[in-house]
Coordinates of all heavy atoms in Angstrom, one line a residue:
M1205 N -2.6 4.1 5.4 CA -1.3 3.5 5.3 C -1.4 2.0 5.4 O -2.3 1.4 6.1 CB -0.6 4.0 6.6 CG 0.3 5.2 6.5 SD -0.2 6.5 5.8 CE -1.3 7.2 6.9
V1206 N -0.6 1.4 4.8 CA -0.5 -0.1 4.8 C 1.0 -0.5 4.8 O 1.8 0.3 4.6 CB -1.1 -0.6 3.5 CG1 -2.6 -0.4 3.4 CG2 -0.6 -0.1 2.2
D1207 N 1.1 -1.7 5.0 CA 2.4 -2.4 5.0 C 2.9 -2.3 3.5 O 2.1 -2.4 2.7 CB 2.4 -3.9 5.5 CG 3.7 -4.6 5.6 OD1 4.3 -4.4 6.7 OD2 4.1 -5.1 4.6
R1208 N 4.2 -2.1 3.4 CA 4.9 -2.0 2.0 C 4.5 -3.2 1.1 O 4.4 -3.1 -0.1 CB 6.2 -1.7 2.0 CG 6.6 -0.3 2.5 CD 8.0 -0.1 2.4 NE 8.2 1.2 3.0 CZ 9.4 1.9 2.9 NH1 10.3 1.4 2.0 NH2 9.5 3.1 3.4
N1209 N 4.2 -4.4 1.7 CA 4.0 -5.5 0.9 C 2.5 -5.6 0.4 O 2.3 -6.5 -0.5 CB 4.4 -6.8 1.8 CG 5.8 -6.9 2.1 OD1 6.6 -6.5 1.3 ND2 6.0 -7.3 3.4
V1210 N 1.7 -4.8 0.9 CA 0.3 -4.9 0.5 C 0.2 -4.1 -0.9 O 0.7 -3.1 -1.0 CB -0.7 -4.1 1.6 CG1 -2.1 -4.0 0.9 CG2 -0.7 -4.9 2.8
Q1211 N -0.4 -4.8 -1.8 CA -0.6 -4.2 -3.2 C -1.8 -3.3 -3.2 O -2.9 -3.7 -2.5 CB -0.7 -5.3 -4.2 CG 0.6 -6.3 -4.2 CD 1.8 -5.5 -4.7 OE1 1.7 -4.7 -5.7 NE2 3.0 -5.6 -4.1
A1212 N -1.8 -2.2 -3.9 CA -2.8 -1.4 -4.1 C -4.2 -2.1 -4.6 O -5.2 -1.9 -4.2 CB -2.6 -0.3 -5.1
G1213 N -3.9 -3.1 -5.4 CA -5.1 -3.9 -5.9 C -5.7 -4.7 -4.8 O -7.0 -4.9 -4.9
E1214 N -5.0 -5.1 -3.8 CA -5.6 -5.8 -2.8 C -6.6 -4.9 -2.0 O -7.7 -5.3 -1.5 CB -4.5 -6.3 -1.7 CG -3.6 -7.3 -2.3 CD -2.5 -7.8 -1.3 OE1 -2.9 -8.3 -0.2 OE2 -1.5 -7.5 -1.6
L1215 N -6.1 -3.8 -1.7 CA -7.0 -2.7 -0.9 C -8.2 -2.4 -1.8 O -9.2 -2.4 -1.3 CB -6.1 -1.5 -0.6 CG -6.8 -0.5 0.4 CD1 -7.5 -1.2 1.6 CD2 -5.7 0.5 0.8
K1216 N -7.9 -2.2 -3.1 CA -9.0 -1.7 -4.0 C -10.0 -2.8 -4.0 O -11.2 -2.6 -3.9 CB -8.5 -1.4 -5.3 CG -9.6 -1.1 -6.3 CD -9.1 -0.8 -7.7 CE -10.2 -0.5 -8.7 NZ -9.7 -0.1 -10.0
K1217 N -9.7 -4.2 -4.1 CA -10.6 -5.2 -4.0 C -11.4 -5.3 -2.7 O -12.5 -5.6 -2.7 CB -9.9 -6.5 -4.3 CG -10.8 -7.7 -4.4 CD -10.0 -9.0 -4.6 CE -10.9 -10.2 -4.8 NZ -12.2 -10.3 -4.0
A1218 N -10.7 -5.1 -1.6 CA -11.4 -5.1 -0.3 C -12.5 -4.1 -0.3 O -13.5 -4.3 0.2 CB -10.4 -4.8 0.9
L1219 N -12.2 -2.9 -0.9 CA -13.2 -1.9 -0.8 C -14.3 -2.2 -1.9 O -15.6 -2.0 -1.5 CB -12.6 -0.6 -1.2 CG -11.5 0.0 -0.3 CD1 -10.8 1.3 -0.7 CD2 -12.2 0.2 1.1
M1220 N -13.9 -2.5 -3.1 CA -15.0 -2.9 -4.1 C -15.9 -4.2 -3.8 O -17.0 -4.2 -4.1 CB -14.4 -3.1 -5.5 CG -13.7 -1.9 -6.2 SD -14.9 -0.5 -6.5 CE -15.9 -1.3 -7.7
D1221 N -15.3 -5.1 -2.9 CA -16.2 -6.1 -2.5 C -17.5 -5.7 -1.6 O -18.3 -6.5 -1.6 CB -15.3 -7.2 -1.7 CG -14.4 -8.0 -2.6 OD1 -14.6 -7.9 -3.7 OD2 -13.4 -8.7 -1.9
L1222 N -17.2 -4.6 -1.1 CA -18.4 -4.0 -0.3 C -19.6 -3.7 -1.1 O -20.7 -3.6 -0.7 CB -18.0 -2.7 0.4 CG -17.0 -3.0 1.6 CD1 -16.4 -1.7 2.1 CD2 -17.5 -3.8 2.7
K1223 N -19.4 -3.6 -2.4 CA -20.5 -3.2 -3.3 C -21.5 -4.5 -3.2 O -22.6 -4.3 -3.4 CB -20.0 -3.3 -4.8 CG -19.5 -2.0 -5.2 CD -19.1 -1.8 -6.6 CE -20.3 -1.7 -7.4 NZ -20.2 -1.3 -8.9
D1224 N -21.1 -5.6 -3.0 CA -22.0 -6.9 -2.8 C -22.6 -6.9 -1.5 O -23.4 -7.8 -1.1 CB -21.2 -8.1 -3.1 CG -20.7 -8.1 -4.6 OD1 -21.3 -7.5 -5.5 OD2 -19.6 -8.6 -4.9
D1225 N -22.1 -6.0 -0.6 CA -22.5 -6.0 0.9 C -23.4 -4.9 1.1 O -23.0 -4.0 2.1 CB -21.3 -6.2 1.7 CG -21.7 -6.4 3.2 OD1 -22.7 -7.0 3.4 OD2 -20.9 -6.0 4.0
N1226 N -24.4 -4.5 0.4 CA -25.3 -3.5 0.6 C -24.6 -2.0 0.5 O -25.1 -1.2 1.2 CB -26.0 -3.6 1.9 CG -27.0 -4.8 2.0 OD1 -27.5 -5.1 1.0 ND2 -27.1 -5.3 3.1
L1227 N -23.6 -2.0 -0.3 CA -23.0 -0.7 -0.6 C -23.0 -0.3 -2.0 O -22.1 -0.2 -2.7 CB -21.5 -0.8 -0.1 CG -21.1 0.6 0.7 CD1 -19.7 0.3 1.3 CD2 -21.0 1.8 -0.2
S1228 N -24.3 -0.4 -2.5 CA -24.5 -0.1 -3.9 C -24.1 1.1 -4.4 O -23.9 1.5 -5.6 CB -25.9 -0.6 -4.4 OG -26.8 0.3 -3.8
W1229 N -24.0 2.1 -3.5 CA -23.7 3.6 -3.9 C -22.2 3.7 -4.4 O -21.9 4.6 -5.0 CB -24.0 4.5 -2.8 CG -25.4 4.7 -2.5 CD1 -26.5 4.4 -3.3 CD2 -26.0 5.0 -1.2 NE1 -27.7 4.7 -2.6 CE2 -27.3 5.0 -1.3 CE3 -25.4 5.4 0.0 CZ2 -28.2 5.4 -0.3 CZ3 -26.3 5.8 1.0 CH2 -27.7 5.9 0.8
L1230 N -21.4 2.6 -4.0 CA -19.9 2.8 -4.4 C -19.8 2.4 -5.9 O -20.2 1.3 -6.2 CB -19.1 1.7 -3.6 CG -17.6 1.7 -3.9 CD1 -17.0 3.1 -3.6 CD2 -17.0 0.6 -3.0
K1231 N -19.5 3.4 -6.7 CA -19.4 3.2 -8.1 C -18.0 2.9 -8.7 O -17.8 2.2 -9.5 CB -20.1 4.4 -8.7 CG -21.5 4.7 -8.5 CD -22.3 3.6 -8.9 CE -23.8 3.8 -8.5 NZ -24.6 2.7 -8.7
S1232 N -17.0 3.5 -7.9 CA -15.6 3.4 -8.4 C -14.6 3.6 -7.4 O -14.9 4.4 -6.4 CB -15.2 4.2 -9.6 OG -15.2 5.6 -9.3
V1233 N -13.4 3.0 -7.4 CA -12.3 3.2 -6.5 C -11.2 3.2 -7.4 O -10.8 2.3 -8.1 CB -12.2 1.9 -5.5 CG1 -11.0 2.2 -4.6 CG2 -13.4 1.9 -4.6
I1234 N -10.5 4.4 -7.4 CA -9.3 4.7 -8.3 C -8.2 5.1 -7.6 O -8.2 6.0 -6.8 CB -9.7 5.8 -9.4 CG1 -10.9 5.3 -10.1 CG2 -8.5 6.0 -10.3 CD1 -11.5 6.2 -11.1
L1235 N -7.0 4.4 -7.7 CA -5.8 4.9 -7.0 C -5.3 6.0 -7.7 O -5.1 6.1 -8.9 CB -4.8 3.6 -7.1 CG -3.4 4.0 -6.5 CD1 -3.4 4.0 -5.0 CD2 -2.4 3.0 -7.1
F1236 N -5.0 7.1 -6.9 CA -4.3 8.3 -7.6 C -3.0 8.6 -7.0 O -2.3 9.4 -7.5 CB -5.3 9.5 -7.5 CG -5.6 10.0 -6.2 CD1 -4.8 11.1 -5.7 CD2 -6.6 9.7 -5.4 CE1 -4.9 11.6 -4.4 CE2 -6.9 10.2 -4.2 CZ -6.0 11.3 -3.6
D1237 N -2.6 7.9 -5.9 CA -1.2 8.2 -5.5 C -0.8 7.0 -4.6 O -1.5 6.4 -3.8 CB -1.3 9.6 -4.5 CG 0.1 10.0 -4.1 OD1 1.0 9.9 -5.0 OD2 0.3 10.3 -3.0
E1238 N 0.6 6.7 -4.6 CA 1.2 5.9 -3.9 C 2.5 6.5 -3.4 O 3.4 6.9 -4.3 CB 1.6 4.4 -4.6 CG 2.2 3.4 -3.8 CD 2.3 2.1 -4.6 OE1 1.6 1.9 -5.5 OE2 2.8 1.2 -3.9
F1239 N 2.7 6.6 -2.2 CA 3.9 7.3 -1.6 C 4.7 6.1 -0.8 O 4.1 5.6 0.2 CB 3.6 8.5 -0.8 CG 4.6 9.1 -0.1 CD1 5.7 9.7 -0.8 CD2 4.9 9.1 1.2 CE1 6.8 10.2 -0.2 CE2 5.9 9.7 2.0 CZ 6.9 10.2 1.3
V1240 N 5.9 6.0 -1.1 CA 6.8 5.0 -0.4 C 7.9 5.8 0.1 O 8.8 6.2 -0.8 CB 7.3 3.8 -1.2 CG1 8.1 2.9 -0.4 CG2 6.0 3.1 -1.8
P1241 N 8.0 6.3 1.3 CA 9.1 7.1 1.8 C 10.5 6.4 1.9 O 10.5 5.1 2.0 CB 8.7 7.6 3.2 CG 7.7 6.5 3.6 CD 7.1 6.0 2.5
K1242 N 11.4 7.2 1.7 CA 12.8 6.5 1.8 C 13.3 6.3 3.2 O 14.1 5.4 3.4 CB 13.9 7.4 1.1 CG 13.6 7.6 -0.5 CD 14.6 8.5 -1.1 CE 14.2 8.5 -2.6 NZ 14.9 9.5 -3.3
E1243 N 12.6 6.8 4.1 CA 13.0 6.7 5.5 C 11.6 7.0 6.3 O 10.6 7.5 5.8 CB 14.1 7.6 6.0 CG 13.6 9.2 5.8 CD 14.8 9.9 6.0 OE1 16.0 9.7 5.5 OE2 14.8 11.0 6.7
E1244 N 11.7 6.5 7.6 CA 10.5 6.7 8.4 C 10.2 8.2 8.8 O 11.2 8.9 8.8 CB 10.8 5.9 9.7 CG 9.6 6.0 10.8 CD 10.0 5.1 12.0 OE1 10.8 4.5 12.1 OE2 9.1 5.3 12.9
G1245 N 9.0 8.4 8.8 CA 8.6 9.9 9.0 C 7.4 10.1 8.3 O 6.7 9.4 7.5
K1246 N 7.0 11.5 8.2 CA 5.8 12.0 7.6 C 4.5 11.1 8.0 O 3.8 10.9 7.1 CB 6.1 12.0 6.1 CG 7.2 12.9 5.8 CD 7.2 13.0 4.3 CE 8.4 13.8 3.7 NZ 8.9 15.0 4.2
G1247 N 4.4 10.8 9.2 CA 3.3 10.1 9.7 C 3.2 8.5 9.3 O 2.3 7.9 9.6
L1248 N 4.3 8.1 8.7 CA 4.5 6.6 8.4 C 5.4 6.0 9.2 O 6.5 6.4 9.6 CB 4.9 6.5 6.9 CG 4.0 7.1 5.8 CD1 4.7 7.2 4.5 CD2 2.7 6.2 5.8
K1249 N 5.1 4.7 9.5 CA 6.1 3.8 10.2 C 7.2 3.2 9.2 O 7.0 3.4 8.0 CB 5.4 2.5 11.0 CG 4.4 3.2 12.0 CD 3.7 2.1 12.7 CE 2.7 2.6 13.6 NZ 1.8 1.7 14.2
E1250 N 8.1 2.4 9.8 CA 9.3 2.0 9.0 C 8.8 1.3 7.7 O 9.4 1.5 6.6 CB 10.2 1.2 9.9 CG 11.4 0.7 9.1 CD 12.3 0.1 10.0 OE1 12.2 0.1 11.3 OE2 13.2 -0.7 9.5
N1251 N 7.9 0.4 7.9 CA 7.6 -0.5 6.7 C 6.3 -0.2 6.1 O 5.5 -1.1 5.6 CB 7.8 -1.9 7.1 CG 9.2 -2.4 7.3 OD1 10.1 -2.1 6.5 ND2 9.4 -3.1 8.4
E1252 N 5.9 1.0 6.2 CA 4.5 1.4 5.5 C 4.7 2.4 4.4 O 5.7 2.8 4.1 CB 3.7 2.3 6.6 CG 3.3 1.5 7.8 CD 2.4 2.4 8.7 OE1 2.7 3.5 8.9 OE2 1.4 1.7 9.2
K1253 N 3.6 2.2 3.6 CA 3.4 3.2 2.4 C 2.1 3.8 2.5 O 1.2 3.3 3.2 CB 3.8 2.4 1.0 CG 2.7 1.4 0.8 CD 3.0 0.7 -0.5 CE 2.1 -0.5 -0.7 NZ 2.5 -1.1 -2.0
S1254 N 1.9 4.9 1.8 CA 0.6 5.6 1.8 C -0.1 5.3 0.3 O 0.6 5.5 -0.7 CB 0.8 7.0 1.9 OG -0.4 7.8 1.8
L1255 N -1.3 4.9 0.4 CA -2.1 4.7 -0.8 C -3.3 5.6 -0.7 O -4.0 5.7 0.3 CB -2.5 3.3 -0.9 CG -1.6 2.1 -1.1 CD1 -2.1 0.8 -0.9 CD2 -0.8 2.3 -2.2
A1256 N -3.5 6.4 -1.8 CA -4.6 7.3 -1.8 C -5.5 6.9 -2.9 O -5.2 6.7 -4.0 CB -4.1 8.8 -1.9
F1257 N -6.9 6.8 -2.6 CA -7.8 6.5 -3.6 C -8.9 7.6 -3.7 O -9.3 8.1 -2.8 CB -8.6 5.1 -3.1 CG -7.6 3.9 -3.2 CD1 -6.9 3.6 -2.1 CD2 -7.7 3.2 -4.4 CE1 -6.2 2.4 -2.1 CE2 -6.9 2.1 -4.4 CZ -6.1 1.6 -3.3
R1258 N -9.5 7.7 -5.0 CA -10.6 8.5 -5.2 C -11.8 7.7 -5.1 O -11.9 6.6 -5.9 CB -10.5 9.3 -6.5 CG -11.7 10.1 -6.9 CD -11.6 10.7 -8.2 NE -10.5 11.4 -8.3 CZ -9.4 11.3 -9.1 NH1 -9.4 10.2 -10.0 NH2 -8.4 12.0 -9.2
L1259 N -12.8 7.9 -4.4 CA -14.1 7.1 -4.1 C -15.2 7.8 -4.9 O -15.3 9.0 -4.6 CB -14.4 6.7 -2.7 CG -13.3 6.2 -2.0 CD1 -13.7 6.1 -0.5 CD2 -12.9 4.8 -2.5
T1260 N -16.0 7.2 -5.7 CA -17.2 7.7 -6.2 C -18.3 7.1 -5.7 O -18.5 5.8 -5.9 CB -17.3 7.6 -7.8 OG1 -16.0 8.2 -8.4 CG2 -18.5 8.2 -8.3
L1261 N -19.2 7.8 -4.9 CA -20.4 7.3 -4.4 C -21.5 8.0 -4.9 O -21.6 9.2 -4.9 CB -20.4 7.5 -2.7 CG -19.2 6.9 -2.0 CD1 -19.3 7.5 -0.5 CD2 -19.5 5.3 -1.9
Q1262 N -22.5 7.3 -5.4 CA -23.6 7.9 -6.1 C -24.8 7.1 -6.1 O -25.0 5.9 -6.2 CB -23.2 8.0 -7.5 CG -24.1 8.7 -8.5 CD -23.9 8.8 -10.0 OE1 -23.0 7.9 -10.4 NE2 -24.2 9.8 -10.7
A1263 N -25.9 7.9 -5.7 CA -27.3 7.1 -5.6 C -28.0 7.6 -6.9 O -27.9 8.8 -7.3 CB -28.0 7.7 -4.4
S1264 N -28.8 6.8 -7.6 CA -29.4 7.0 -8.8 C -30.7 7.8 -8.6 O -31.2 8.6 -9.4 CB -29.8 5.8 -9.5 OG -30.7 5.0 -8.8
D1265 N -31.3 7.8 -7.3 CA -32.5 8.5 -7.1 C -32.4 9.9 -6.2 O -33.5 10.5 -6.1 CB -33.4 7.5 -6.3 CG -32.9 7.1 -5.0 OD1 -31.7 7.1 -4.9 OD2 -33.7 6.7 -4.1
R1266 N -31.2 10.2 -5.8 CA -31.2 11.4 -4.8 C -29.7 11.7 -4.6 O -28.9 11.0 -5.0 CB -31.8 11.2 -3.5 CG -31.3 10.0 -2.6 CD -32.2 9.8 -1.5 NE -31.6 8.5 -0.7 CZ -30.8 8.7 0.2 NH1 -30.4 9.9 0.7 NH2 -30.3 7.7 0.8
S1267 N -29.6 12.9 -4.1 CA -28.1 13.4 -3.7 C -27.9 12.7 -2.3 O -28.8 12.7 -1.5 CB -28.1 14.8 -3.5 OG -28.4 15.5 -4.7
L1268 N -26.6 12.3 -2.2 CA -26.4 11.7 -0.9 C -25.9 12.8 0.0 O -25.4 13.8 -0.3 CB -25.2 10.8 -1.2 CG -25.5 9.5 -1.9 CD1 -24.2 8.8 -2.1 CD2 -26.4 8.6 -1.2
T1269 N -26.3 12.7 1.5 CA -25.9 13.6 2.4 C -24.8 13.0 3.2 O -24.4 11.9 3.0 CB -27.2 13.8 3.3 OG1 -27.5 12.7 4.0 CG2 -28.4 14.2 2.6
D1270 N -24.2 13.9 4.0 CA -23.2 13.5 5.0 C -23.8 12.3 5.9 O -23.0 11.4 6.2 CB -22.8 14.6 5.8 CG -22.0 15.7 5.2 OD1 -21.5 15.5 4.1 OD2 -21.8 16.8 5.7
A1271 N -24.9 12.3 6.2 CA -25.5 11.4 7.2 C -25.7 10.0 6.3 O -25.5 8.9 6.9 CB -26.9 11.7 7.6
D1272 N -25.7 10.1 5.0 CA -25.7 8.7 4.2 C -24.4 8.2 4.1 O -24.0 7.1 4.2 CB -26.2 9.2 2.8 CG -27.7 9.4 2.6 OD1 -28.5 8.8 3.5 OD2 -28.0 10.3 1.9
V1273 N -23.2 9.2 3.9 CA -22.0 8.8 3.5 C -21.0 8.4 4.7 O -20.3 7.5 4.7 CB -21.3 10.0 2.6 CG1 -19.8 9.6 2.4 CG2 -22.1 10.2 1.4
E1274 N -21.2 9.0 5.8 CA -20.3 8.7 7.0 C -20.4 7.3 7.4 O -19.4 6.7 7.5 CB -20.7 9.8 8.1 CG -20.3 11.1 7.9 CD -20.6 12.1 9.1 OE1 -21.0 11.7 10.1 OE2 -20.5 13.3 8.7
P1275 N -21.6 6.6 7.6 CA -21.5 5.2 7.9 C -21.0 4.4 6.9 O -20.3 3.3 7.2 CB -23.0 4.8 8.1 CG -23.7 6.1 8.1 CD -22.9 7.2 7.4
L1276 N -21.1 4.7 5.6 CA -20.3 3.9 4.5 C -18.9 4.0 4.6 O -18.2 3.1 4.5 CB -20.9 4.4 3.1 CG -22.4 4.4 2.8 CD1 -22.8 5.0 1.5 CD2 -22.9 3.0 2.9
L1277 N -18.4 5.2 4.8 CA -16.9 5.4 4.9 C -16.4 4.7 6.1 O -15.3 4.0 6.1 CB -16.6 6.9 5.1 CG -16.9 7.8 3.9 CD1 -16.5 9.2 4.0 CD2 -16.1 7.2 2.6
K1278 N -17.1 4.6 7.2 CA -16.7 3.9 8.5 C -16.6 2.3 8.0 O -15.7 1.7 8.5 CB -17.6 4.2 9.7 CG -17.4 5.6 10.2 CD -18.3 5.6 11.4 CE -18.1 7.1 11.9 NZ -19.0 7.4 13.1
K1279 N -17.6 1.9 7.3 CA -17.7 0.5 7.0 C -16.4 0.2 6.0 O -15.8 -0.9 6.1 CB -18.9 0.2 6.3 CG -19.2 -1.3 6.0 CD -20.6 -1.4 5.5 CE -20.9 -2.9 5.3 NZ -22.4 -3.0 4.9
M1280 N -16.1 1.0 5.1 CA -14.9 0.8 4.2 C -13.8 0.9 4.8 O -12.9 0.1 4.7 CB -14.9 2.1 3.2 CG -16.3 1.9 2.3 SD -16.4 3.3 1.0 CE -15.2 2.8 -0.2
L1281 N -13.5 1.9 6.0 CA -12.3 1.8 6.7 C -12.2 0.6 7.5 O -10.9 0.0 7.6 CB -12.4 2.9 7.6 CG -12.0 4.4 6.9 CD1 -12.3 5.5 7.9 CD2 -10.7 4.5 6.3
S1282 N -13.3 0.1 8.1 CA -13.1 -1.2 8.9 C -12.9 -2.3 7.9 O -12.0 -3.2 8.3 CB -14.6 -1.6 9.4 OG -14.9 -0.5 10.5
A1283 N -13.4 -2.4 6.7 CA -13.0 -3.5 5.8 C -11.5 -3.4 5.4 O -10.9 -4.5 5.2 CB -13.9 -3.5 4.6
A1284 N -11.0 -2.2 5.1 CA -9.6 -1.9 4.7 C -8.7 -2.4 5.9 O -7.6 -3.0 5.7 CB -9.6 -0.6 4.4
E1285 N -9.0 -2.1 7.2 CA -8.3 -2.5 8.3 C -8.3 -4.0 8.5 O -7.3 -4.7 8.6 CB -8.9 -1.8 9.5 CG -7.9 -2.1 10.7 CD -8.4 -1.5 12.0 OE1 -9.5 -0.7 12.0 OE2 -7.8 -1.6 13.0
A1286 N -9.5 -4.6 8.4 CA -9.5 -6.1 8.5 C -8.8 -6.9 7.5 O -8.3 -7.9 7.8 CB -11.1 -6.5 8.7
K1287 N -9.0 -6.4 6.3 CA -8.6 -7.3 5.1 C -7.0 -7.0 4.8 O -6.4 -7.8 4.3 CB -9.5 -7.2 4.0 CG -10.8 -7.6 4.2 CD -11.6 -7.6 2.9 CE -13.0 -8.2 3.2 NZ -13.9 -8.2 2.1
C1288 N -6.5 -5.8 5.0 CA -5.3 -5.3 4.6 C -4.5 -4.6 5.7 O -3.3 -4.2 5.5 CB -5.5 -4.3 3.4 SG -6.2 -5.0 2.0
G1289 N -4.9 -4.7 6.8 CA -4.3 -3.9 7.9 C -4.1 -2.4 7.8 O -3.1 -1.8 8.2
A1290 N -4.9 -1.8 6.9 CA -4.9 -0.4 6.5 C -5.3 0.5 7.6 O -6.1 0.1 8.5 CB -5.7 -0.1 5.3
R1291 N -4.6 1.7 7.7 CA -5.2 2.7 8.8 C -5.2 4.0 8.0 O -4.5 4.3 7.0 CB -4.2 2.6 10.1 CG -2.8 3.2 9.7 CD -2.0 3.1 11.1 NE -0.6 3.5 10.6 CZ -0.2 4.7 10.8 NH1 -0.9 5.5 11.0 NH2 1.1 5.1 10.5
L1292 N -6.1 4.9 8.5 CA -6.2 6.2 8.0 C -5.2 7.0 8.5 O -4.8 7.0 9.8 CB -7.6 6.7 8.4 CG -8.1 8.0 7.7 CD1 -8.0 7.8 6.2 CD2 -9.5 8.4 8.0
R1293 N -4.5 7.9 7.6 CA -3.4 8.8 8.1 C -4.1 10.1 8.6 O -5.1 10.5 8.3 CB -2.7 9.1 6.8 CG -1.3 9.9 7.1 CD -0.5 9.9 6.0 NE 0.2 11.1 5.9 CZ 1.1 11.3 4.9 NH1 1.4 10.3 4.0 NH2 1.7 12.4 4.8

């Protein structure tokens, strides 16, 4: 969830910028849904909207495990929160 004024491109950029920060496994970030409710509810606050992204994480030399991916997702969530005020629903 993000403030309604946050553009999807801003959040995508915050995530893609991590590629330069030792997150070379991040291959793509694609917006697949944007939900702006007409009224508060459904887990959203009054001035929030929901953005959903498909992330592609891929190593060229092996299959990634949950142990590989979990710290990366935490890093991505922290960056999204710090740069865009995003929170996980």
Side-chain angles (χ1 to χ4, degrees):
M1205 265 47 78
V1206 293
D1207 185 88
R1208 288 186 185 197
N1209 295 321
V1210 174
Q1211 298 296 313
E1214 293 176 63
L1215 184 50
K1216 179 178 178 174
K1217 182 179 180 334
L1219 297 173
M1220 289 302 292
D1221 284 350
L1222 292 172
K1223 281 183 74 165
D1224 299 329
D1225 190 25
N1226 293 328
L1227 219 168
S1228 61
W1229 292 335
L1230 179 60
K1231 300 301 179 190
S1232 69
V1233 176
I1234 299 170
L1235 177 72
F1236 70 86
D1237 187 44
E1238 182 171 349
F1239 175 68
V1240 181
K1242 294 180 181 170
E1243 57 189 48
E1244 185 175 347
K1246 301 194 189 300
L1248 296 169
K1249 295 179 183 172
E1250 184 178 342
N1251 288 315
E1252 287 185 322
K1253 63 182 174 182
S1254 174
L1255 299 174
F1257 291 90
R1258 177 182 305 116
L1259 308 173
T1260 302
L1261 299 167
Q1262 182 179 28
S1264 61
D1265 60 338
R1266 63 191 174 92
S1267 295
L1268 297 174
T1269 65
D1270 288 346
D1272 294 322
V1273 173
E1274 286 178 18
L1276 302 177
L1277 292 177
K1278 287 181 183 179
K1279 190 173 190 176
M1280 294 173 81
L1281 289 171
S1282 292
E1285 182 179 5
K1287 294 182 180 181
C1288 298
R1291 65 182 178 88
L1292 191 60
R1293 184 166 149 178

